[in-house]
Amino acid sequence: MDKQVYTVDNKELIKVTASGWLGTAMEFMDFQLYSLAAAIVFNEIFFEQGNPAMGLVMSMGTYGAGYVARIIGAWFFGRLGDKIGRKEVLFFTIALMGLASTAIGFLPTYAQVGIWAPIGLVLLRIVQGFGAGAEISGAGVMVVEFARKHHRGFVGSFVCLGTSTGTLLANLIWTIILSRLSNAQVLAWGWRIPFYASFVIMIFAILIRIFIKESPVMAEKKKLLEEERQKENGEVKSNGIKNFAVATGLRFGQAGNSGLLQTYIAGFIVSILAMQKVVATNANIISSIISFITIPLVGYIGDKIGRRKMYMILSLAMAIYAIPMMLMINSKNPVLVTIALIIGLNVGVQGLFSLENVMMAELFGSLHRMTLMAMAKETGGLIATGFGPLIAAALVTAMSGSWIPIAIMIIIFSLITFFSAKESCDTNDVNLNALEDPKIMNKKEELQDLEVRVGELEEQLNHLKN
């Protein structure tokens, strides 16, 4: 099939896009509340007091535990989404996340129950991660499969706006708590407030997703699969290994930079630089507001010049910016720190994420799209976001508070994404109804393909002459 055969009413497209945006906003707010708590207070209430830097390392460890569970959730819910449909799966994922986050607010502290406190935190973090495994991937696939080819990037970017909305709300909540309550009140009971609110968030998200209709690609997929079964040797071949590797590499820049800039540096600013806690949350709030322009703009430009090219531009820019950014942060000047984080977040996190949720879906055929996209996202997320903050915390501690390991890690993450995009194919025109993955060719294969096309054109020209 050369083109997508379904049509979508504009009102339906708007409704599905809004549902994906708002549902993802609820999910990401839930997850970001935990991320900020891990960086700001968990090292003081869930672990034995002593070395503050080591407490931050342990806190980042619980943050990383959720990313191990996310891979399992990605496989489980991804397969389920490819088998029974996207809509049903999105109910389960948001419910698991909401219930686990609410339960965190009821956990006793280390001072109350000792070692059982961090054990309970890790277990709930695992449940939370299991639900999150296919959450954003599922929402992204839903919206992209509804969108028309020529504006998939722009429409798909609205799912990413959900993450900005969630980040904004989570940081606003923490900013209010940190500015209105004393440190003793925050440690005693204030930190629980955001997690109690998770139950309300969960109900809201479920109500929003009642109105999502199933992706039209799923109906076409069932038709194509039936046609394949009726063929004598019907078997769908996949380029999954190479496409999966490229998609995982594309994930590194956004995920790794997010883990460092949105999670670890919040703790680095407080524990190592001895600055106020609200500096990081204020930067996240301003950055989230600005990203309401950045994200759709990047999605729009990606539709025009190609997502592959846009990926290369942003990831290389972030690699170059890493050292100047960390020098600004290390200055301990609140204004410079805020500016540094705003630029870094919009270029190396939000900008890349706008491309990621669309291009990763385009790299896979409809046969296993949700499974492979979710697995690629969470594999990259586990390595980069799950363990990135933990590795950064350990290296910074070992180097007596130096910012150099953070800059090096940002450069590495960004360059992995740059070279992955370079090795990828242009995905803007792929047919999302196709069962097979689009083919990523190496230089030799591209030359051979070009020679075949030239030969075909010469034959057509000779035929016209005759």
Side-chain angles (χ1 to χ4, degrees):
M1 300 177 67
D2 295 327
K3 59 182 180 179
Q4 291 175 214
V5 298
Y6 63 85
T7 59
V8 179
D9 180 77
N10 284 334
K11 290 183 179 179
E12 187 63 33
L13 177 62
I14 292 171
K15 185 167 66 175
V16 170
T17 303
S19 298
W21 177 2
L22 294 175
T24 302
M26 297 298 102
E27 178 269 333
F28 207 76
M29 175 181 171
D30 224 14
F31 213 71
Q32 188 67 13
L33 287 173
Y34 182 98
S35 300
L36 290 168
I40 295 172
V41 297
F42 280 178
N43 61 314
E44 297 185 55
I45 59 178
F46 280 110
F47 302 98
E48 186 175 6
Q49 295 303 296
N51 186 338
M54 187 54 64
L56 183 60
V57 172
M58 295 299 294
S59 183
M60 291 298 102
T62 66
Y63 179 78
Y67 278 87
V68 178
R70 286 177 74 117
I71 286 190
I72 301 173
W75 178 82
F76 179 81
F77 288 116
R79 283 173 57 87
L80 205 59
D82 281 325
K83 184 176 182 180
I84 68 173
R86 327 303 195 199
K87 177 181 176 180
E88 289 81 359
V89 168
L90 292 176
F91 282 100
F92 293 114
T93 56
I94 204 70
L96 273 179
M97 289 200 64
L99 291 173
S101 294
T102 302
I104 289 174
F106 291 93
L107 282 175
T109 65
Y110 188 92
Q112 294 172 318
V113 296
I115 192 65
W116 292 106
I119 290 175
L121 184 65
V122 170
L123 289 176
L124 288 175
R125 172 66 173 169
I126 288 172
V127 174
Q128 191 187 50
F130 183 69
E135 165 60 33
I136 295 181
S137 297
V141 166
M142 277 285 291
V143 174
V144 170
E145 288 183 342
F146 265 98
R148 294 175 178 85
K149 184 184 294 185
H150 66 279
H151 54 54
R152 281 200 297 244
F154 178 72
V155 174
S157 71
F158 279 84
V159 174
C160 307
L161 279 180
T163 67
S164 294
T165 306
T167 299
L168 176 61
L169 293 174
N171 279 277
L172 279 172
I173 290 173
W174 270 110
T175 298
I176 293 171
I177 290 173
L178 293 174
S179 60
R180 297 297 178 89
L181 302 179
S182 67
N183 189 59
Q185 289 174 320
V186 172
L187 295 177
W189 53 269
W191 68 270
R192 299 181 185 273
I193 295 174
F195 297 100
Y196 292 155
S198 294
F199 186 77
V200 178
I201 297 168
M202 177 188 69
I203 298 300
F204 246 114
I206 288 176
L207 289 175
I208 289 167
R209 286 183 171 172
I210 286 175
F211 300 101
I212 297 178
K213 288 189 176 182
E214 186 54 84
S215 159
V217 169
M218 286 299 296
E220 185 65 22
K221 172 183 172 181
K222 292 175 182 178
K223 176 184 174 183
L224 291 172
L225 285 173
E226 184 61 31
E227 291 175 358
E228 289 293 331
R229 292 189 189 100
Q230 292 175 2
K231 292 179 182 178
E232 189 171 333
N233 296 311
E235 182 179 345
V236 180
K237 295 183 179 180
S238 173
N239 303 308
I241 295 177
K242 189 165 186 178
N243 289 45
F244 185 85
V246 167
T248 303
L250 292 178
R251 172 73 165 149
F252 261 77
Q254 185 276 331
N257 294 336
S258 174
L260 292 175
L261 298 184
Q262 293 183 303
T263 302
Y264 176 70
I265 284 183
F268 177 83
I269 287 171
V270 175
S271 299
I272 306 299
L273 301 183
M275 298 179 69
Q276 292 184 341
K277 294 177 179 180
V278 295
V279 173
T281 55
N282 285 341
N284 274 318
I285 289 171
I286 299 171
S287 177
S288 296
I289 294 171
I290 293 175
S291 72
F292 278 84
I293 298 174
T294 304
I295 287 174
L297 179 62
V298 170
Y300 175 80
I301 296 174
D303 280 331
K304 298 301 179 182
I305 70 172
R307 278 175 276 285
R308 174 175 173 268
K309 184 182 294 185
M310 198 64 188
Y311 243 122
M312 293 172 67
I313 292 171
L314 290 181
S315 56
L316 185 60
M318 190 61 195
I320 295 170
Y321 176 64
I323 291 177
M325 180 185 70
M326 289 310 303
L327 286 170
M328 292 169 69
I329 291 173
N330 202 56
S331 71
K332 301 184 183 181
N333 182 308
V335 175
L336 287 178
V337 171
T338 301
I339 293 172
L341 287 174
I342 289 172
I343 296 173
L345 287 167
N346 275 272
V347 174
V349 179
Q350 306 292 9
L352 290 178
F353 195 41
S354 178
L355 300 167
E356 173 187 300
N357 237 35
V358 181
M359 186 166 173
M360 287 181 69
E362 293 171 334
L363 279 170
F364 302 110
S366 65
L367 186 65
H368 300 300
R369 176 173 294 128
M370 188 168 170
T371 304
L372 293 176
M373 179 178 173
M375 288 294 293
K377 265 183 172 286
E378 300 313 323
T379 300
L382 170 64
I383 300 171
T385 315
F387 294 107
L390 179 61
I391 295 170
L395 291 175
V396 169
T397 300
M399 295 184 66
S400 303
S402 173
W403 56 267
I404 294 176
I406 305 174
I408 292 174
M409 291 180 69
I410 291 172
I411 292 170
I412 292 173
F413 288 147
S414 299
L415 288 181
I416 288 174
T417 290
F418 173 81
F419 286 109
S420 297
K422 189 173 183 294
E423 289 300 312
S424 182
C425 61
D426 291 311
T427 61
N428 285 47
D429 292 326
V430 300
N431 170 28
L432 293 183
N433 278 331
L435 295 173
E436 305 87 355
D437 304 334
K439 189 175 182 182
I440 298 176
M441 295 184 290
N442 57 36
K443 298 300 180 183
K444 183 177 180 181
E445 289 175 321
E446 288 179 357
L447 182 60
Q448 291 174 342
D449 184 66
L450 182 61
E451 290 174 348
V452 170
R453 291 182 184 180
V454 170
E456 291 174 349
L457 289 173
E458 288 177 347
E459 287 182 7
Q460 292 175 6
L461 185 59
N462 291 332
H463 179 73
L464 290 173
K465 287 180 178 179
N466 296 330

